[in-house]
Amino acid sequence: MSTAPDFLLRAAEPRDVPAITGLIHELAEFEKLSHLVQVTPETLHPHLFGDKPVVEALVAEAGGAVVAFALFFTNFSTFLARPGLYLEDLYVQPALRGSGIGQALLERLGAIAVERGYGRFEWSVLDWNENAIRFYEKMGATVMPDWRICRITGDELKRFGA
């Protein structure tokens, strides 16, 4: 494990949108999903900072640069009858992995869920990402083996919604 660099966690600000967009592209490359990425600063900005934001983000700064982000939103549990926090994406640049940034982001998100009175904190992990799975389990998360994500997107969504 590398020595922890100095880093600052904070809520994302409008000036961070280009950096977050760049990190999203890095994440997509890591996940071998670059062909699916459509995000630009112009398309992301209104969802974070527009009239009706639907997502929030935390960023980590090190050396004056944004080097990590966590993008999250509120979901709802009908069983608990309480909102929850859903982490859509968390990404730390490879050179800073193992420095404590990822854990700090997750712990801050957990604290946000508690502060807001949410009933749970959830996220997904790719089944091939063994390092992430071990990291999450070490932090106390349960990887839910019985649940699968269902998704309709693109042209299929247009047909389905017609």
Side-chain angles (χ1 to χ4, degrees):
M1 199 163 210
S2 60
T3 305
D6 290 328
F7 61 87
L8 169 71
L9 294 187
R10 60 176 176 77
E13 299 171 0
R15 66 184 168 98
D16 299 316
V17 173
I20 294 169
T21 302
L23 292 171
I24 291 170
H25 283 271
E26 289 182 31
L27 172 62
E29 187 174 316
F30 171 75
E31 293 182 345
K32 298 172 180 42
L33 297 172
S34 294
H35 61 285
L36 298 176
V37 177
Q38 298 178 23
V39 69
T40 66
E42 295 75 25
T43 59
L44 181 58
H45 188 276
H47 300 297
L48 280 166
F49 301 107
D51 292 338
K52 294 183 179 182
V54 294
V55 296
E56 298 175 66
L58 298 176
V59 296
E61 281 186 356
V66 174
V67 298
F69 79 98
L71 192 115
F72 61 100
F73 55 88
T74 302
N75 61 11
F76 190 80
S77 168
T78 54
F79 285 14
L80 299 177
R82 293 170 64 192
L85 189 146
Y86 188 84
L87 172 63
E88 177 66 20
D89 282 315
L90 183 145
Y91 179 76
V92 178
Q93 289 183 317
L96 293 166
R97 291 184 189 150
S99 68
I101 292 173
Q103 182 169 339
L105 283 166
L106 286 168
E107 288 173 351
R108 180 65 192 123
L109 290 169
I112 289 169
V114 170
E115 290 164 10
R116 294 179 183 180
Y118 291 175
R120 59 187 181 195
F121 171 29
E122 297 178 305
W123 63 94
S124 299
V125 62
L126 291 167
D127 62 358
W128 57 260
N129 195 343
E130 292 294 329
N131 289 338
I133 291 169
R134 282 192 302 274
F135 173 66
Y136 297 146
E137 288 175 334
K138 183 179 173 187
M139 290 188 66
T142 301
V143 177
M144 307 292 285
D146 300 335
W147 293 88
R148 299 291 186 264
I149 297 170
C150 298
R151 180 176 293 159
I152 301 174
T153 187
D155 290 338
E156 292 84 11
L157 178 58
K158 289 177 186 170
R159 279 192 294 278
F160 187 76

